[in-house]
Amino acid sequence: MSESGCLLIFLTLCSSFLLCVNSHFDYKDALTKSIIFLEAQRSGKLPPDHRPPWRGDSALDDGKEAGVDLVGGYYDAGDNVKYGFPMAFTVTTMAWAAYFYEREIKDAGEMDNLLDSIKWGTDYLLKASAQHNRLFVQVGDPKIDHQCWMRPEDMKTPRTVLEINQNRPGTEIAAETAAALAASSIVFREVDQAYAETLLNRAKMLFQFAEEYQGTFDGACPFYCSYSGYNDELLWGAAWLYVATKDPLYSQYIIEESTSAVVYEFSWDLKFAGAQVLLSQLYWEGQMEFHTFQQQADGYICAVLPDSPYHQPFMTPGGLIHFRDGANSQYVTSTAFLFSVYSDLMNKHNVQVCCGGRTFTHSDLMRFAKQEMDYLLGHNPAHRSIMVGFGHNPPLHAHHRGASVPVTASTKDVTCGMSFVYWFNTDAPNPNELTGAILGGPNRSDVFIDSRLNSSFTEPCTYINSLAIGVLAKLATHAKHHEL
């Protein structure tokens, strides 16, 4: 072969190699920005080191009408309401990431920031649950709030308080809050043992409340209706309490009293798959009494994997899992996170998943998790990122009040009706970058419309990002080792 021919082959191979290397995203940067978005969702008196420069103090009188201190916590999405149910789930899943991917998150230098984000939520949940058999679960009037487009710093809408108690139970949110505090207690043991004990004791109290006074929570409808009922939250809460305490009372509850089912969704409303994956870890570590839950976790994997004969969810032509329009990205990150965790457990214990006549390895699961995360970061038919401030051609029009109203805007004399004219119904990019926000995502045809008016495409949610943290940390570590 001639020298020119050899050179051509060499250059072709080099180009292929560079293409392969360059196809990796900067997962560490995506991880950092995911946490920055959660900081942008904070309510209350912000700390001096708060990173999003356009956010300020807000809702400093929350809880005043009920005679309690409910300052703090998180706004869930693009509005100014604090919903306790998705907030608690956000905290639980942040804590799970910190617990399971501790090494990877520390390796990325983000553990302190993640712990601060968890504590911002747990501090609020402790306030909301300070009274026995009473949990404050919402601040703000959703219907009126959605009729006004104001920054949280300048909002003029009522800060109505909603609670659950013995006479008005809400098992779902009480058990989810117990899960959040129990999971968080695990990650704070090494840094603040007294705080961890406070969290765990409150978690026990809330779980007892959830179990003793059972009833479906529907106070946030039509915004956060619990369609799945509360059996999944009771299992989820008991599982986290058992992991945190190793108290046989909780394992007995899980085995003898809980209800479980094979599902193909993991979300703020449906926790069965998350609990099953969590309990699978205990099963493989020798606790054989949890075998049924491990089998159900396998069933979840088989129901979701596209190549499985039992696959159920719709996959877009571009390869994105799609459950429903409107914050569909939450199902993408939740699927990727569970698959990532289960993949690591399978690898550690040298097991495979059998789905009918097909067998899948831990690598198969992680390949699918990476595919889903890569789609959000830009490897998709539109060749654009769905994360604000990251990657190629990221969104500029997030459906988000704080990001879309200029900090310098005079809002004193602006009515709620005119607020939509000034800051919502415009084609101008948001003046404040909502760094790291993973938006609602494309539709079933892989079409993504970057428009503030189309909330199903462009509204962010805290639990989209909280579920992305662990898998992004793992991908960042793998990419770093690959480069070495």
Side-chain angles (χ1 to χ4, degrees):
M1 185 180 291
S2 66
E3 289 185 7
S4 60
C6 290
L7 180 61
L8 179 61
I9 292 173
F10 175 75
L11 291 174
T12 302
L13 289 171
C14 285
S15 299
S16 300
F17 174 75
L18 289 172
L19 181 62
C20 178
V21 171
N22 291 336
S23 69
H24 289 295
F25 294 100
D26 188 344
Y27 298 112
K28 184 178 180 297
D29 184 46
L31 170 63
T32 297
K33 289 177 175 176
S34 287
I35 299 173
I36 290 176
F37 162 69
L38 292 166
E39 293 178 19
Q41 294 301 104
R42 290 179 180 179
S43 178
K45 180 73 175 177
L46 301 181
D49 58 351
H50 193 252
R51 289 186 287 184
W54 46 272
R55 279 302 321 279
D57 300 339
S58 63
L60 298 181
D61 291 325
D62 276 3
K64 193 173 183 180
E65 72 167 52
V68 292
D69 177 9
L70 295 177
V71 177
Y74 287 97
Y75 304 112
D76 74 302
D79 55 16
N80 299 328
V81 181
K82 294 193 302 199
Y83 298 98
F85 197 11
M87 190 193 305
F89 181 67
T90 297
V91 172
T92 310
T93 47
M94 280 196 289
W96 195 0
Y99 158 67
F100 194 84
Y101 286 114
E102 178 183 8
R103 178 179 61 84
E104 290 84 353
I105 292 169
K106 285 182 176 179
D107 188 48
E110 289 297 332
M111 184 56 81
D112 288 344
N113 290 323
L114 180 55
L115 290 178
D116 286 345
S117 294
I118 295 170
K119 192 172 187 296
W120 194 267
T122 52
D123 282 351
Y124 174 82
L125 295 177
L126 288 174
K127 290 181 180 182
S129 61
Q131 300 177 42
H132 187 63
N133 289 345
R134 192 183 190 194
L135 176 63
F136 292 94
V137 297
Q138 185 173 300
V139 183
D141 186 315
K143 293 181 180 178
I144 299 177
D145 179 86
H146 283 71
Q147 296 171 9
C148 210
W149 195 264
M150 293 279 189
R151 300 173 67 233
E153 293 83 351
D154 302 321
M155 59 182 162
K156 304 172 183 179
T157 49
R159 303 303 288 169
T160 309
V161 173
L162 182 65
E163 67 175 86
I164 58 173
N165 50 49
Q166 294 163 293
N167 300 317
R168 189 186 182 188
T171 302
E172 290 94 340
I173 187 167
E176 179 59 63
T177 307
L181 298 178
S184 299
S185 74
I186 299 170
V187 300
F188 279 106
R189 282 176 185 164
E190 294 183 7
V191 293
D192 191 339
Q193 189 172 359
Y195 186 68
E197 284 300 313
T198 299
L199 295 175
L200 188 55
N201 289 333
R202 190 65 55 81
K204 294 175 183 178
M205 184 187 80
L206 283 165
F207 187 78
Q208 183 178 358
F209 171 45
E211 186 186 5
E212 187 172 348
Y213 298 97
Q214 295 189 14
T216 291
F217 171 73
D218 58 5
C221 277
F223 302 98
Y224 283 101
C225 306
S226 178
Y227 295 108
S228 68
Y230 52 73
N231 286 318
D232 55 315
E233 277 82 19
L234 286 171
L235 174 61
W236 178 240
W240 276 112
L241 276 162
Y242 182 67
V243 172
T245 66
K246 293 300 187 288
D247 187 333
L249 287 174
Y250 295 112
S251 63
Q252 182 179 1
Y253 178 87
I254 292 167
I255 295 163
E256 298 180 6
E257 299 183 52
S258 72
T259 300
S260 190
V262 175
V263 295
Y264 58 90
E265 172 188 322
F266 177 52
S267 67
W268 61 264
D269 183 36
L270 188 56
K271 321 289 168 50
F272 282 132
Q276 290 154 7
V277 169
L278 187 64
L279 294 171
S280 294
Q281 180 174 353
L282 301 180
Y283 165 73
W284 279 318
E285 289 173 354
Q287 297 192 235
M288 308 307 292
E289 65 269 28
F290 296 129
H291 187 212
T292 298
F293 298 99
Q294 185 272 316
Q295 291 176 316
Q296 291 173 334
D298 273 4
Y300 163 76
I301 297 297
C302 292
V304 175
L305 264 177
D307 294 333
S308 165
Y310 305 128
H311 170 77
Q312 294 187 54
F314 178 83
M315 298 295 296
T316 71
L320 187 73
I321 196 168
H322 192 282
F323 283 87
R324 52 188 66 91
D325 289 332
N328 181 69
S329 292
Q330 69 178 294
Y331 309 109
V332 180
T333 57
S334 69
T335 300
F337 178 70
L338 286 194
F339 268 63
S340 179
V341 170
Y342 210 63
S343 168
D344 285 341
L345 294 174
M346 290 170 60
N347 186 30
K348 181 178 180 180
H349 298 282
N350 193 28
V351 296
Q352 298 179 335
V353 175
C354 296
C355 305
R358 303 237 14 213
T359 301
F360 298 96
T361 67
H362 71 92
S363 297
D364 295 322
L365 270 64
M366 195 57 215
R367 190 177 300 111
F368 179 61
K370 182 178 183 298
Q371 168 190 306
E372 297 304 285
M373 292 305 300
D374 284 354
Y375 186 111
L376 296 177
L377 298 180
H379 188 65
N380 53 56
H383 304 292
R384 67 176 305 167
S385 170
I386 309 298
M387 176 185 279
V388 176
F390 177 88
H392 175 68
N393 192 22
L396 301 175
H397 303 83
H399 180 94
H400 190 275
R401 288 158 176 74
S404 59
V405 180
V407 175
T408 57
S410 177
T411 60
K412 183 178 180 181
D413 299 320
V414 177
T415 63
C416 283
M418 288 305 295
S419 67
F420 284 89
V421 175
Y422 291 142
W423 304 302
F424 179 72
N425 296 310
T426 72
D427 294 328
N430 288 345
N432 311 311
E433 183 183 270
L434 192 62
T435 305
I438 302 174
L439 304 189
N443 62 18
R444 290 166 63 94
S445 302
D446 295 307
V447 174
F448 177 77
I449 301 174
D450 183 16
S451 167
R452 197 176 303 115
L453 278 64
N454 291 279
S455 61
S456 65
F457 295 105
T458 58
E459 187 164 21
C461 300
T462 55
Y463 40 89
I464 298 177
N465 277 60
S466 65
L467 285 157
I469 289 170
V471 64
L472 285 173
K474 178 180 175 179
L475 289 170
T477 296
H478 282 204
K480 177 180 178 181
H481 291 166
H482 177 75
E483 290 168 5
L484 290 173

